[in-house]
Amino acid sequence: MAMAMGATAAASWAPISAPARVAATAAAFYPGGDLGAARRRRETPLRAAAGRPFVFTPRAVSDSRSSQTCLDPDASTSVLGIILGGGAGTRLYPLTKKRAKPAVPLGANYRLIDIPVSNCLNSDVSKIYVLTQFNSASLNRHLSRAYGNNISGYKNEGFVEVLAAQQSPENPNWFQGTADAVRQYLWLFEEHNVMEFLILAGDHLYRMDYQKFIQAHRETGADITVAALPMDEQRATAFGLMKIDDEGRIIEFAEKPKGEKLKSMMVDTTILGLDTERAKEMPYIASMGIYVFSKDVMLQLLRENFPAANDFGSEVIPGATEIRMRVQAYLYDGYWEDIGTIEAFYNANLGITKKPVPDFSFYDRSAPIYTQPRYLPPSKVLDADVTDSVIGEGCVIRHCIINHSVVGLRSCISEGAVIEDSLLMGADYYETENDKKALSETGGIPIGIGKNAHIRKAIIDKNARIGENVKVGPCSIW
């Protein structure tokens, strides 16, 4: 069936050369202006002096602080960001019992969705849609409060807008996968006068300049560009791997290969910009699930070539390589974590307490992480011993010990408590003294950590009530 689909697609696909696509796009972005000048500006980087096609080396545009970007037109007007909210999040259960994966709290003050949205805003991508389906109430509320009134302005058409899964007479089904989710809203996305669609996941932790990513896509004349993470052999078996040619073009995919198949997926990662020593340590590249699609290519693939495909990573993009589209790899050599399991979530949060340099820093002034303004008071720490920890806003911490932990906003920790190697997500609201008195009279427990409680190697969800002298943690440590 897959081969038959590929054959049909090959017959219907008419490749559009990079200069032709650039010229067509320039006409849209320079209506009534000098189209010839626009074409010359966009075509010049694609031609060498001798008139031969110019091969742009991916290493020149890999993600690094020293490289420069000069997008024309700029990302704010020419790129549409599409963030996928993800599935049911069963591997993160019970944290996803009442919330979507991207709405899970992160780093004391934030939520996971703040990462891709902030990356977009820092990269001048200001038109952003977030596609949601499961338990989306808290995610929708957070996005509206955090970004609803802060993106648009005079002569600025930026937005962060939620698109929920819905049934229609034409399609009675919910989202069946990443590609299907985009297909169901393709009628809306194509109305935007943009050059590329930037496809992102809502549950990854990383910091990336998408302008460099988009520049690589344009300079190489790619139809699709896939963000790739260098891997050693030990980690490679857990990821979908890609094989590239000497120009960085993807020619083969393999999902979690092992044995001889794994060996066959080794590539020369110096092609993408790694130095020789690190390339020997990292001879594999894995897909990050982050893509740039040229607009016309996306419309063609989802409507004509693969109208029944549900997933980008396993169906659409491998299919695009089969029909000889130019699918390019873009190296991202930095911290990246897929927050897909409880263990990954725990490690990623505690990783921000690492000394001397955390795995992921929220203190980068050049690329800040934005979130909902809550107008909370500073945290109050009264005669407490706090080491190697991160404390969120509005906490009240009294006469306790906190070591190597992340304490979420509005947390209340009572006298004698010990918190070690733990993640406390905090609370959504404060209880008044009258509330606490009423609870005490009826044998109830207030929100927070009670007196002399011991919390070790644990995740405490929001609004949890931990009583006095309670011990929480793996049985083996008590």
Side-chain angles (χ1 to χ4, degrees):
M1 178 66 72
M3 291 184 65
M5 180 182 293
T8 303
S12 62
W13 167 248
I16 303 174
S17 66
R21 185 165 62 245
V22 167
T25 307
F29 275 90
Y30 298 91
D34 186 352
L35 179 57
R39 184 184 293 113
R40 288 191 295 275
R41 282 197 296 272
R42 301 289 290 129
E43 286 185 3
T44 299
L46 299 175
R47 293 286 161 191
R52 297 189 304 274
F54 177 77
V55 177
F56 194 91
T57 307
R59 77 178 69 210
V61 289
S62 293
D63 205 42
S64 68
R65 293 187 179 276
S66 60
S67 60
Q68 299 295 320
T69 57
C70 186
L71 294 180
D72 178 26
D74 61 57
S76 64
T77 59
S78 64
V79 179
L80 181 67
I82 302 171
I83 301 174
L84 304 173
T90 53
R91 294 185 300 161
L92 266 180
Y93 191 87
L95 298 179
T96 53
K97 183 178 180 179
K98 295 182 179 180
R99 58 169 78 94
K101 276 198 297 183
V104 172
L106 173 76
N109 284 347
Y110 306 89
R111 292 182 186 251
L112 271 174
I113 191 63
D114 292 325
I115 302 301
V117 172
S118 297
N119 283 337
C120 282
L121 298 179
N122 292 331
S123 304
D124 203 24
V125 177
S126 57
K127 299 177 181 179
I128 306 165
Y129 285 111
V130 181
L131 275 57
T132 66
Q133 179 163 272
F134 294 95
N135 289 334
S136 57
S138 64
L139 177 61
N140 296 350
R141 182 170 59 248
H142 176 76
L143 288 171
S144 64
R145 291 177 178 175
Y147 308 104
N149 299 317
N150 299 326
I151 307 301
S152 297
Y154 181 64
K155 291 187 177 180
N156 183 356
E157 298 178 356
F159 59 83
V160 178
E161 187 173 325
V162 175
L163 299 176
Q166 61 184 6
Q167 293 175 307
S168 66
E170 294 79 18
N171 191 340
N173 300 317
W174 304 113
F175 297 155
Q176 302 300 305
T178 55
D180 184 64
V182 173
R183 182 188 293 109
Q184 290 195 33
Y185 276 104
L186 212 53
W187 61 270
L188 176 61
F189 301 152
E190 70 176 327
E191 292 179 357
H192 290 274
N193 186 25
V194 297
M195 292 175 63
E196 293 96 8
F197 294 145
L198 175 64
I199 308 296
L200 306 169
D203 55 355
H204 295 170
L205 179 60
Y206 64 107
R207 179 180 275 106
M208 184 176 183
D209 185 351
Y210 298 139
Q211 293 185 94
K212 300 184 180 76
F213 189 21
I214 297 159
Q215 177 173 311
H217 176 82
R218 294 182 184 178
E219 298 282 9
T220 55
D223 298 304
I224 305 167
T225 302
V226 181
L229 197 70
M231 288 275 164
D232 57 23
E233 185 171 343
Q234 183 177 358
R235 296 183 64 198
T237 56
F239 289 85
L241 302 184
M242 303 177 291
K243 197 169 185 178
I244 57 174
D245 63 16
D246 57 5
E247 296 179 6
R249 184 170 179 171
I250 299 171
I251 56 176
E252 186 180 348
F253 291 85
E255 186 64 26
K256 299 180 180 178
K258 292 179 174 59
E260 290 302 316
K261 182 60 178 176
L262 176 63
K263 296 291 186 184
S264 71
M265 295 303 292
M266 292 179 66
V267 298
D268 179 8
T269 46
T270 60
I271 294 170
L272 297 177
L274 282 189
D275 59 65
T276 304
E277 184 176 344
R278 293 201 66 236
K280 291 179 181 179
E281 300 171 358
M282 307 279 190
Y284 301 94
I285 55 171
S287 171
M288 295 170 61
I290 300 172
Y291 318 109
V292 175
F293 282 78
S294 294
K295 180 181 178 180
D296 56 339
V297 171
M298 176 75 86
L299 300 177
Q300 182 90 22
L301 285 171
L302 295 187
R303 285 181 174 162
E304 299 181 26
N305 299 110
F306 307 109
N310 291 326
D311 187 69
F312 281 122
S314 62
E315 296 175 88
V316 175
I317 295 177
T321 62
E322 290 179 8
I323 62 175
R324 305 298 298 166
M325 282 189 176
R326 187 174 187 91
V327 182
Q328 198 77 17
Y330 169 82
L331 183 75
Y332 171 76
D333 189 19
Y335 175 80
W336 175 86
E337 188 66 53
D338 180 359
I339 312 294
T341 65
I342 294 291
E343 181 181 8
F345 176 73
Y346 174 82
N347 291 334
N349 272 278
L350 290 193
I352 69 175
T353 68
K354 186 179 292 186
K355 296 187 303 185
V357 179
D359 290 337
F360 181 88
S361 175
F362 289 96
Y363 299 91
D364 189 334
R365 291 179 297 176
S366 64
I369 303 301
Y370 307 101
T371 191
Q372 174 185 338
R374 299 180 178 89
Y375 310 109
L376 291 173
S379 290
K380 183 186 293 185
V381 181
L382 304 173
D383 195 23
D385 184 0
V386 181
T387 56
D388 301 341
S389 299
V390 174
I391 309 297
E393 301 173 316
C395 298
V396 179
I397 299 170
R398 299 186 180 93
H399 311 288
C400 60
I401 297 173
I402 301 174
N403 178 52
H404 190 231
S405 297
V406 176
V407 180
L409 49 86
R410 300 189 189 90
S411 290
C412 294
I413 304 176
S414 301
E415 297 88 341
V418 177
I419 315 294
E420 292 183 307
D421 304 322
S422 296
L423 167 60
L424 278 58
M425 294 190 186
D428 289 320
Y429 57 92
Y430 291 113
E431 288 179 324
T432 66
E433 292 302 320
N434 288 337
D435 293 334
K436 295 177 182 179
K437 183 178 180 181
L439 283 169
S440 178
E441 292 172 352
T442 58
I445 299 171
I447 290 176
I449 310 300
K451 294 179 180 180
N452 302 313
H454 284 213
I455 314 294
R456 288 192 173 96
K457 295 183 181 297
I459 300 174
I460 307 298
D461 206 345
K462 275 194 171 185
N463 306 324
R465 302 171 186 269
I466 308 295
E468 297 180 6
N469 302 306
V470 169
K471 292 182 178 181
V472 178
C475 296
S476 60
I477 65 175
W478 299 111

